[in-house]
């Protein structure tokens, strides 16, 4: 499906689900291996005082924990603790100040497995190299605190790089949603999404930071139509965003961080001919679900 990564993934869960209230642990298909990454995307509940994300050895409540990521919020002093639980005992803690995990806001954790350490990034920024204390071959489970409303968990091998292109199996259909998570670079000039078919672009969504404008358009046989421009780029440089492009029979609706930002009436109406999604611009692409 995606040429930029191997198809070695866990189950992907839709963001509206409450399933995580009853499934606090999830298995990692094939276990952890060098070069593999795990991405966890979610939102921290506003009344959370502390929470955790664990990479652990099995799903038992007493299982060893190879990596314990533990944001704290006591006394308005946000920080993150990292540790390992082995043979019934916690090891020495490591910490980072200025937690990137903000209550009631979307976050994305990426954990890259290397030979020596877990390279941990949050919201597109590297925060910690945590050296292995338990062999990665023993790690096969993710445990997530119930103070986190999860949107997605996925394990994969190669990063999603920009320019990015992926196929839409079977073509676009009414009711389909495309979800994009990313972080515009601090010097970003544009963020661009395209829904493409064989003869052109059915939906072109372009945010221009310098002009603070969003441009929507359609191109067929090399010719662009009339632009639809609206003021106010819905992204902030350096900050994580979630975009959902929802396709109905009449139009596309674009939601940014849960708020409807734009609608665009179909000009190209053969929706099932639309079979490619593209991302361009100056941004770090964290995750795409088509």
């Amino acid at each position: 499906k995606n040429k930029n990564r191997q198809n070695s993934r866990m189950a992907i869960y839709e963001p509206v689900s409450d399933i995580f209230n009853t499934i606090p642990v999830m298995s990692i298909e094939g276990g952890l291996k060098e070069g593999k990454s795990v991405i966890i995307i979610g939102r921290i509940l506003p009344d959370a005082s502390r929470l955790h994300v664990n990479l652990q050895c099995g799903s038992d409540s007493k299982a060893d924990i190879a990596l314990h990521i533990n944001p704290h919020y006591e006394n308005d002093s946000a920080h993150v603790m990292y540790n390992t639980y082995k043979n019934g005992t916690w090891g020495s803690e490591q910490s980072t100040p200025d937690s990137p995990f903000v209550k009631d806001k979307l976050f994305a954790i990426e954990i890259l497995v290397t030979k020596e350490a877990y390279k941990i990034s949050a919201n597109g920024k590297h925060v910690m190299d945590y050296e292995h204390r338990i062999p990665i071959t023993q790690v096969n489970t993710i445990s997530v605190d119930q103070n986190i409303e999860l949107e997605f968990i996925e394990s994969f091998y190669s990063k999603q790089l920009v320019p990015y292109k992926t196929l839409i199996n079977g073509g676009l259909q009414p009711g389909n949603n495309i979800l994009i998570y990313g972080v515009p670079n601090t010097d970003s000039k544009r963020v661009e999404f395209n829904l493409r078919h064989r003869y052109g672009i059915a939906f072109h969504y372009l945010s221009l930071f310098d002009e603070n404008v969003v441009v929507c358009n359609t191109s067929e046989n090399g010719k662009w139509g009339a632009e639809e421009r609206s003021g106010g780029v819905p992204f902030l440089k350096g900050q994580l965003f979630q975009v959902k492009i929802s396709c109905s029979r009449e139009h596309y609706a674009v939601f940014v961080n849960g708020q409807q930002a734009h609608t665009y009436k179909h000009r190209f109406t053969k929706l099932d001919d639309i079979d490619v999604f593209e991302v361009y611009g100056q941004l770090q692409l964290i995750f795409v679900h088509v």
Side-chain angles (χ1 to χ4, degrees), residues 52-121:
H52 72 260
V53 172
N54 293 337
L55 296 182
Q56 57 191 56
C57 309
S59 57
D60 187 87
S61 60
K62 297 181 180 180
D64 286 351
I65 300 171
L67 173 62
H68 175 67
I69 303 175
N70 183 208
H72 288 238
Y73 301 94
E74 299 97 334
N75 303 318
D76 296 323
S77 176
H79 60 287
V80 184
M81 306 299 298
Y82 305 85
N83 209 339
T84 295
Y85 182 78
K86 185 176 182 181
N87 298 326
T89 303
W90 288 103
S92 57
E93 291 183 333
Q94 295 177 245
S95 66
T96 54
D98 303 321
S99 173
F101 306 101
V102 180
K103 292 182 184 182
D104 205 29
K105 287 193 175 182
L106 195 69
F107 73 86
I109 301 172
E110 181 178 354
I111 304 167
L112 171 63
V113 183
T114 68
K115 184 178 181 179
E116 297 80 17
Y118 297 108
K119 291 186 174 294
I120 305 166
S121 298

Side-chain angles (χ1 to χ4, degrees), residues 124-153:
K125 297 179 181 178
H126 178 263
V127 294
M128 164 71 74
D129 283 356
Y130 187 87
E131 293 184 0
H132 299 305
R133 303 181 191 179
I134 292 176
I136 61 174
T137 54
Q138 299 180 22
V139 181
N140 56 21
T141 303
I142 302 173
S143 171
V144 181
D145 191 281
Q146 293 182 356
N147 284 320
I148 298 173
E149 291 181 345
L150 281 176
E151 300 208 354
F152 289 100
I153 291 181

Side-chain angles (χ1 to χ4, degrees), residues 185-204:
N185 298 349
T186 55
D187 60 350
S188 181
K189 301 293 185 183
R190 67 188 181 111
V191 171
E192 177 183 343
F193 307 128
N194 293 322
L195 284 166
R196 180 181 286 278
H197 55 92
R198 183 177 180 182
Y199 301 106
I201 299 173
F203 182 41
H204 170 71

Side-chain angles (χ1 to χ4, degrees), residues 238-278:
Q239 293 194 21
L240 178 69
F241 67 75
Q242 177 212 64
V243 169
K244 180 172 76 171
I245 302 174
S246 181
C247 177
S248 73
R249 294 186 181 278
E250 296 79 25
H251 61 259
Y252 301 102
V254 180
F255 298 83
V256 179
N257 298 330
Q259 302 296 316
Q260 186 165 338
H262 297 89
T263 58
Y264 184 81
K265 187 175 180 179
H266 294 309
R267 301 183 190 176
F268 182 84
T269 57
K270 297 179 180 179
L271 298 181
D272 55 1
D273 284 351
I274 301 168
D275 58 1
V276 173
F277 177 70
E278 301 174 327

Side-chain angles (χ1 to χ4, degrees), residues 1-6 9 160 164-167 288:
K1 179 179 176 178
N2 184 347
K3 297 179 180 179
N4 288 334
R5 60 185 175 182
Q6 297 181 28
R9 60 172 61 187
Q160 300 183 339
Y164 170 87
K165 180 182 293 188
T166 189
L167 296 177
V288 174

